[in-house]
Amino acid sequence: MSPVSDRPVTVVGATGYLGRYLVAELDARGHRVRAVVRDPGRARQPGPYGAPPLIGAHTELVRADVTEPGRITGLLAGSGRVFSALGVTRQKASPWDVDFLANLAVLREAERTGVESMLYVGAIGMEHGTSLVARSKTAFAAALESSPVPGWIVNPSAYFSDMSSTVDLARRGVFLLPPDPGIRLNPIHGADLAAFCVDLSEGPAGPGTGRVEVGGPDVLTAREVVRIAADAAGTDPCTLRIPRRLLDGMVWTAGRVSDRHGNLARFFAESMTRDAVSRCTGTRHLADWFADLT
Ligand SMILES: NC(=O)c1ccc[n+]([C@@H]2O[C@H](COP(=O)([O-])OP(=O)(O)OC[C@H]3O[C@@H](n4cnc5c(N)ncnc54)[C@H](OP(=O)(O)O)[C@@H]3O)[C@@H](O)[C@H]2O)c1
């Protein structure tokens, strides 16, 4: 029997790729879910890359922008668990404002309200990164670890949604490989990650905060990702390896354009130059997902 109460579960970042799967998984297990969204109309539509609409029988949409001061007060009233998949990916906002400050505001409200636990989804390897995204996620993880609210920090490898551009590039016939094409990752489908997170949160919480790194069932090199994308696209792309010095030059140039461009370039460059392999979970395979995209 699950040790968690039947109080509603609040999900912030609910309209994102992962957030939608978290809400769907909780709803399917019969939990009452409060999905915090900026735009209820958009929330009821399917998300990108097949992510589900937020229309479950047990799901209530709560309209709020958690980055706005004062919008968080009362948001967690009566909540048991809190999940956060809140973070900047394609949005233009500062990662510090969203990944750190907005998540921190949710955490402070969780402390004030006395929720049972908080599960935060960050990203693998951020503690070694120097980009603003990495520093913002690391700063929030540290705040959660020192909070009296027990919980989990789940740091996943890349999401399938993030890999879709590989198929686009394979279709165009040219592919850029990282300086070391042998770097490894185990990308994960949003549904598999959501199931993992909900399982985790249904176990005993605390004391303190647990930290888990997780990825999908297949450990692949960058070169293998390109090969399965090419197989799915039915092409034989020309692959070019980006020399390390060129990558450093691109980061430097992007930094001259703006801080935002520089930080994004740094984030991608750092992601392209280290392994992102973690505990394997899930049943969905990248090759099948790529095939469905084509
Ligand atoms: N994508 C990957 O490969 C990957 C891999 C590992 C870890 N992660 C991390 O996992 C988390 C979820 O990723 P995802 O791919 O699901 O991201 P996503 O689809 O971009 O969703 C991010 C969520 O945060 C919200 N958000 C972003 N900027 C906001 C702002 N300025 N104000 C209010 N809300 C804002 C979005 O709201 P709206 O829908 O209203 O924009 C959305 O609900 C992120 O922290 C990401 O860094 C991602």
Side-chain angles (χ1 to χ4, degrees):
M1 194 169 118
S2 165
V4 296
S5 75
D6 61 0
R7 288 156 71 189
V9 182
T10 299
V11 179
V12 295
T15 41
Y17 170 73
L18 176 64
R20 287 171 179 271
Y21 283 107
L22 283 172
V23 171
E25 182 70 26
L26 287 159
D27 188 282
R29 295 192 195 192
H31 299 293
R32 284 183 292 147
V33 189
R34 277 189 205 152
V36 180
V37 305
R38 293 198 276 189
D39 179 346
R42 181 160 53 84
R44 290 188 195 97
Q45 300 301 314
Y49 311 110
L54 304 186
I55 51 170
H58 312 288
T59 298
E60 170 199 5
L61 301 185
V62 177
R63 184 183 203 141
D65 185 336
V66 294
T67 61
E68 286 176 12
R71 295 307 300 272
I72 294 184
T73 309
L75 205 61
L76 305 180
S79 284
R81 288 168 288 160
V82 179
F83 285 70
S84 173
L86 180 70
V88 168
T89 57
R90 63 190 183 285
Q91 302 83 358
K92 284 201 172 138
S94 160
W96 190 254
D97 291 346
V98 181
D99 294 76
F100 179 56
L101 290 177
N103 275 309
L104 188 65
V106 174
L107 175 61
R108 294 295 174 245
E109 185 64 9
E111 291 166 353
R112 201 183 67 77
T113 313
V115 305
E116 290 158 11
S117 63
M118 179 164 179
L119 185 147
Y120 164 68
V121 181
I124 194 168
M126 292 298 99
E127 61 282 11
H128 307 300
T130 60
S131 68
L132 189 57
V133 175
R135 286 183 281 126
S136 304
K137 287 186 189 305
T138 305
F140 178 69
L144 183 53
E145 277 175 333
S146 60
S147 165
V149 172
W152 298 268
I153 297 161
V154 177
N155 289 327
S157 185
Y159 298 167
F160 282 11
S161 57
D162 219 27
M163 316 292 296
S164 61
S165 57
T166 321
V167 178
D168 296 336
L169 289 170
R171 276 198 205 106
R172 285 185 200 145
V174 178
F175 203 91
L176 298 178
L177 281 168
D180 173 7
I183 63 156
R184 298 171 312 136
L185 66 168
N186 55 330
I188 186 163
H189 192 286
D192 284 338
L193 180 55
F196 177 87
C197 291
V198 176
D199 284 347
L200 199 60
S201 79
E202 288 179 347
T209 303
R211 197 183 269 257
V212 192
E213 293 187 341
V214 67
D218 306 315
V219 177
L220 302 163
T221 63
R223 197 183 275 113
E224 287 169 333
V225 171
V226 172
R227 184 182 48 73
I228 62 171
D231 287 349
T235 57
D236 185 13
C238 161
T239 51
L240 303 170
R241 192 178 60 79
I242 309 174
R244 180 66 205 231
R245 269 188 299 175
L246 178 60
L247 196 60
D248 291 343
M250 285 154 75
V251 172
W252 185 88
T253 307
R256 305 280 85 66
V257 176
S258 73
D259 283 351
R260 180 169 165 267
H261 285 88
N263 270 303
L264 267 178
R266 188 176 290 279
F267 176 75
F268 285 115
E270 288 176 349
S271 307
M272 286 174 89
T273 47
R274 60 165 180 253
D275 282 344
V277 177
S278 43
R279 167 173 166 179
C280 294
T281 190
T283 56
R284 292 163 179 88
H285 299 280
L286 189 64
D288 299 334
W289 194 79
F290 278 170
D292 286 347
L293 280 181
T294 54

